[in-house]
Amino acid sequence: MQKVNLRSDTVTLPTPEMMDAILHAELGDDVTQDDPTVNRLEAYAADYFGKEAALLVSSGTMGNLVAVLAQTGCRRPEIIAEEHSHIIVWEGGSYSHFGGVATRTITGEQETGVLDPDKVEAAIRDDSNLHYPRTCLICMENTHNWSGGTVVTVDQIKAVRAVADRHGIPMHLDGARVFNAAIALGVPVRAITDEFTTAQICLSKGLSAPMGSVVVGPKAVIDEARHMRKMLGGGLRQAGIIAAAGLVALERMTDRLAEDHAHARALAEGLAKIDGIRIDLHSVQSNMVRIEVDALGMTGQQFVDGIAAYGILAGTTPAINRVRFVTHRHITDADVARAIDACAAVAEAARKR
């Protein structure tokens, strides 16, 4: 049985054009900045996202980490972030481990993860108080993974940016899926990245590169991030084979993400018709769909196990009764229909128990 993998858009495989680019990439040593393909990607990314410089890193987690470390060089540093953001929940506490960076979390808007600028302002430390750490950086995520791929609007970002500017604090964007956000909002991606000092953009999710992220920002910050990358063991040699695919990702793969959004919407609307499955259709704003299955008397894992018997792969979330589906380049209309049918069958069996 052919499986339909809706666990994550990280399962995307490189395109034939990417494989050809990898095969013919001009290579050098990136540690000494002598890999021409990496240099081309970094120059392209800096220009694309409206920043002075860019850095290729192996993953989004590393990209966020080096960006944070590069901007928290003050004594007793602390960052502000939404409590369910990726850098807080899913990155192993790397900021405190590697940089001695404290984190101050804020509860975002329910089910969207949007930061309230008033809460951000209240969370900024009084530098003169010797009991406090020093607020060095404000971090945001767009789209917001925990909330199901919800989108932070440009106006909502600007409201937080105004607070940051008043206090002279830089802002970092975890933009792992920032192109999904831009497409959902109908704006150029730079309308989002322009509001941040630095941004991390993942090449290996919906954009289909086999690995890699880019970090963009001011040259001085990126130079420091490059040093941090080396310290973390992320110095790369003939990294042009990664950069070649990343260039194709940025040049060719961004607009097609709208197809993933359409498939997510179709999946969500189909699942909403199944008795016992709860879904907030308003939360389906990009390529993720979350459902609640507690009304079926099932845990999320039990539901995932049930649809796996039909060849449908999905993921669970920390909420015990929640299931997540993520659409991507390899998902077709037929796959969406299969997923809906499998979910309906599992739900019907649960109702009959």
Side-chain angles (χ1 to χ4, degrees):
M1 180 191 302
Q2 183 71 32
K3 296 187 183 301
V4 177
N5 196 335
L6 290 158
R7 286 174 175 156
S8 176
D9 47 8
T10 58
V11 303
T12 50
L13 299 175
T15 66
E17 186 177 0
M18 288 178 182
M19 297 301 290
D20 185 66
I22 290 169
L23 182 63
H24 296 99
E26 188 180 1
L27 304 178
D29 188 338
D30 182 43
V31 170
T32 54
Q33 296 181 252
D34 290 327
D35 188 300
T37 309
V38 173
N39 293 343
R40 205 153 51 87
L41 170 65
E42 291 177 346
Y44 184 88
D47 181 67
Y48 197 114
F49 296 105
K51 304 299 182 185
E52 287 183 348
L55 177 69
L56 174 66
V57 294
S58 61
S59 69
T61 294
M62 177 175 279
N64 286 332
L65 177 57
V66 299
V68 170
L69 294 179
Q71 296 176 92
T72 52
C74 61
R75 298 295 297 271
R76 50 190 173 87
E78 182 176 71
I79 62 173
I80 293 173
E82 201 279 325
E83 66 175 340
H84 293 128
S85 58
H86 197 278
I87 69 170
I88 296 298
V89 179
W90 301 112
E91 298 184 5
S94 57
Y95 311 96
S96 61
H97 183 81
F98 291 110
V101 178
T103 55
R104 190 167 199 192
T105 60
I106 298 173
T107 301
E109 184 180 300
Q110 187 175 11
E111 294 302 313
T112 66
V114 173
L115 288 177
D116 181 332
D118 291 336
K119 289 184 179 180
V120 172
E121 184 130 39
I124 294 173
R125 301 292 192 174
D126 176 1
D127 242 6
S128 66
N129 192 318
L130 58 82
H131 298 91
Y132 295 155
R134 179 179 288 116
T135 304
C136 292
L137 188 66
I138 297 169
C139 302
M140 298 180 73
E141 181 183 2
N142 203 11
T143 63
H144 196 274
N145 187 347
W146 180 287
S147 299
T150 50
V151 175
V152 186
T153 69
V154 175
D155 284 344
Q156 289 167 330
I157 296 168
K158 285 178 180 291
V160 177
R161 168 71 183 273
V163 172
D165 286 349
R166 278 200 300 274
H167 293 269
I169 299 171
M171 297 221 323
H172 173 67
L173 170 66
D174 177 358
R177 295 180 176 90
V178 69
F179 283 105
N180 293 93
I183 285 173
L185 294 171
V187 300
V189 73
R190 277 190 58 171
I192 299 172
T193 58
D194 279 353
E195 300 304 318
F196 293 88
T197 313
T198 56
Q200 177 273 127
I201 299 95
C202 191
L203 306 172
S204 65
K205 292 185 171 70
L207 300 188
S208 298
M211 67 176 292
S213 285
V214 289
V215 182
V216 297
K219 185 178 184 303
V221 175
I222 297 303
D223 286 346
E224 182 66 12
R226 188 179 299 275
H227 185 80
M228 296 297 173
R229 184 188 73 169
K230 178 63 176 173
M231 290 173 62
L232 293 167
L236 304 172
R237 300 301 178 181
Q238 285 70 45
I241 59 173
I242 301 168
L247 276 164
V248 175
L250 291 178
E251 292 171 345
R252 303 275 189 271
M253 302 301 291
T254 60
D255 290 343
R256 64 142 309 279
L257 294 175
E259 300 172 24
D260 301 341
H261 293 199
H263 283 143
R265 173 55 57 175
L267 176 61
E269 291 177 352
L271 295 176
K273 297 174 183 177
I274 299 173
D275 289 343
I277 288 179
R278 293 204 314 272
I279 181 170
D280 176 9
L281 289 175
H282 175 70
S283 72
V284 184
Q285 299 175 11
S286 59
N287 66 324
M288 297 185 189
V289 178
R290 295 185 312 168
I291 62 173
E292 307 280 349
V293 297
D294 53 299
L296 296 170
M298 305 179 76
T299 66
Q301 189 60 57
Q302 287 170 332
F303 190 89
V304 166
D305 292 343
I307 61 175
Y310 294 87
I312 307 299
L313 306 181
T316 56
T317 76
I320 190 169
N321 298 311
R322 185 173 290 171
V323 175
R324 188 186 81 161
F325 304 87
V326 184
T327 56
H328 49 80
R329 182 171 64 88
H330 303 309
I331 299 302
T332 66
D333 291 344
D335 293 332
V336 170
R338 273 188 62 191
I340 293 169
D341 289 345
C343 292
V346 170
E348 182 179 11
R351 291 195 303 268
K352 288 180 178 178
R353 284 201 305 268

